Amino acid sequence: EILRCLVGSEMCIRDSTGRKEQGTMAEELNLLQKKILSDGVIKPGNVLKVDSFLNHQIDVPFISELGKEFKKLFFGKKVDKILTIEASGIGIACLTAIYFGVPVVFAKKSAGSNMDADVYATEVKSFTHNKVNHVVVSKKYLNEGEHILIMDDFLANGCAVEGLMDLVSQAGGIVEGVGICIEKGFQGGGNALRSKGVDVKSLAIIEKMDAATGTISFR
Ligand code: 5GP
């Protein structure tokens, strides 16, 4: 069911005050799209809050269904490890890793410096906090020749994914693909990655959202 998506469908979503408007089309939305429409809240600054099921409170059976879907989407790919970034990517990464039977590594936001010899390090501009994070992974957990599936809860401008790709590249690994729950297509990060040949798969791609009217449309 989750693979079916109505192109250009437009529905209303609760606005930041919790108001809910009538939708125009309900059919053919996938599980995640429906959940976004029922439980998501659009905040000013092009931020979608999905705290009630994805990245604060976690609806484990639901996220596990998304994990199963990622396994189908990346079927046939060699995946040795899933790499994500703390904190909000960890839930979906773990509930996907169960279906791949591989470990999850999460990059840590650290106050340390680039001089630390035991870690691969990169800089990631945070979309939600508007600051640059120093992000590290221990050299023990990313190795040359490993096939890595990168995952995150959201894809906006692509900084988090680019940072994770940089870490894999420093280790001499291979990025097999990028699995994203919610891509905000209008922010361009996904398209930029795809144009470089990266296999980006997102379960829901938001084409447009408007905090003032509380509307959202999916690609
Ligand atoms: P990017 O690095 O692609 O610009 O942004 C992706 C990262 O920012 C993700 O790790 C995610 O945690 C956070 N993020 C970006 N947009 C949103 C959003 O609309 N809602 C939430 N909750 N997180 C977001």
Side-chain angles (χ1 to χ4, degrees), residues 21 26 57 94 96 100 110 115 127 147 160 188 201 210 212 219:
E21 295 177 5
Q57 173 170 268
C94 289
T96 302
F100 281 90
S110 146
M115 303 305 286
F127 180 87
H147 293 250
K201 293 198 165 77
D210 184 346
R219 189 181 291 174

Side-chain angles (χ1 to χ4, degrees), residues 44-61:
N46 283 323
V47 171
L48 178 68
K49 294 215 94 164
V50 285
D51 283 11
S52 64
F53 65 94
L54 183 59
N55 53 23
H56 191 164
Q57 173 170 268
I58 298 178
D59 180 339
V60 174

Side-chain angles (χ1 to χ4, degrees), residues 129-169:
H129 298 105
N130 199 27
K131 64 171 187 167
V132 175
N133 286 308
H134 185 70
V135 168
V136 300
V137 168
S138 167
K139 289 185 177 173
K140 278 188 286 193
Y141 302 126
L142 278 183
N143 299 294
E144 191 173 352
E146 278 178 337
H147 293 250
I148 306 294
L149 176 61
I150 289 174
M151 296 197 73
D152 208 356
D153 59 341
F154 274 89
L155 174 60
N157 296 321
C159 301
V161 169
E162 298 263 10
L164 294 171
M165 289 177 62
D166 181 24
L167 296 172
V168 175
S169 148

Side-chain angles (χ1 to χ4, degrees), residues 31 53 58-68 95 99:
L31 281 181
F53 65 94
I58 298 178
D59 180 339
V60 174
F62 178 77
I63 301 305
S64 176
E65 286 303 308
L66 304 186
K68 217 182 273 178
L95 289 162
Y99 300 102

Side-chain angles (χ1 to χ4, degrees), residues 14-202:
R14 258 190 295 220
D15 65 15
S16 49
T17 63
R19 179 170 47 98
K20 215 173 197 176
E21 295 177 5
Q22 198 57 46
T24 52
M25 288 183 211
E27 70 280 11
E28 298 298 332
L29 294 171
N30 71 37
L31 281 181
L32 179 57
Q33 290 170 325
K34 283 181 192 156
K35 190 83 163 168
I36 291 169
L37 294 175
S38 63
D39 296 9
V41 179
I42 306 171
K43 295 285 186 185
N46 283 323
V47 171
L48 178 68
K49 294 215 94 164
V50 285
D51 283 11
S52 64
F53 65 94
L54 183 59
N55 53 23
H56 191 164
Q57 173 170 268
I58 298 178
D59 180 339
V60 174
F62 178 77
I63 301 305
S64 176
E65 286 303 308
L66 304 186
K68 217 182 273 178
E69 209 52 48
F70 280 118
K71 175 66 186 167
K72 286 187 207 156
L73 289 173
F74 290 105
F75 183 79
K77 292 256 180 180
K78 178 167 165 49
V79 173
D80 298 313
K81 269 176 196 170
I82 294 177
L83 176 67
T84 188
I85 184 164
E86 73 173 355
S88 52
I90 296 174
I92 181 60
C94 289
L95 289 162
T96 302
I98 288 175
Y99 300 102
F100 281 90
V102 300
V104 169
V105 177
F106 62 92
K108 295 186 172 197
K109 292 165 189 164
S110 146
S113 81
N114 270 326
M115 303 305 286
D116 189 340
D118 299 329
V119 296
Y120 299 113
T122 194
E123 308 293 318
V124 172
K125 186 171 185 301
S126 163
F127 180 87
T128 36
H129 298 105
N130 199 27
K131 64 171 187 167
V132 175
N133 286 308
H134 185 70
V135 168
V136 300
V137 168
S138 167
K139 289 185 177 173
K140 278 188 286 193
Y141 302 126
L142 278 183
N143 299 294
E144 191 173 352
E146 278 178 337
H147 293 250
I148 306 294
L149 176 61
I150 289 174
M151 296 197 73
D152 208 356
D153 59 341
F154 274 89
L155 174 60
N157 296 321
C159 301
V161 169
E162 298 263 10
L164 294 171
M165 289 177 62
D166 181 24
L167 296 172
V168 175
S169 148
Q170 289 177 45
I174 299 117
V175 175
E176 276 295 329
V178 174
I180 299 291
C181 293
I182 306 172
E183 176 179 339
K184 289 182 292 177
F186 57 90
Q187 284 166 334
N191 286 351
L193 290 164
R194 289 185 188 97
S195 70
K196 285 190 230 168
V198 181
D199 183 12
V200 182
K201 293 198 165 77
S202 302

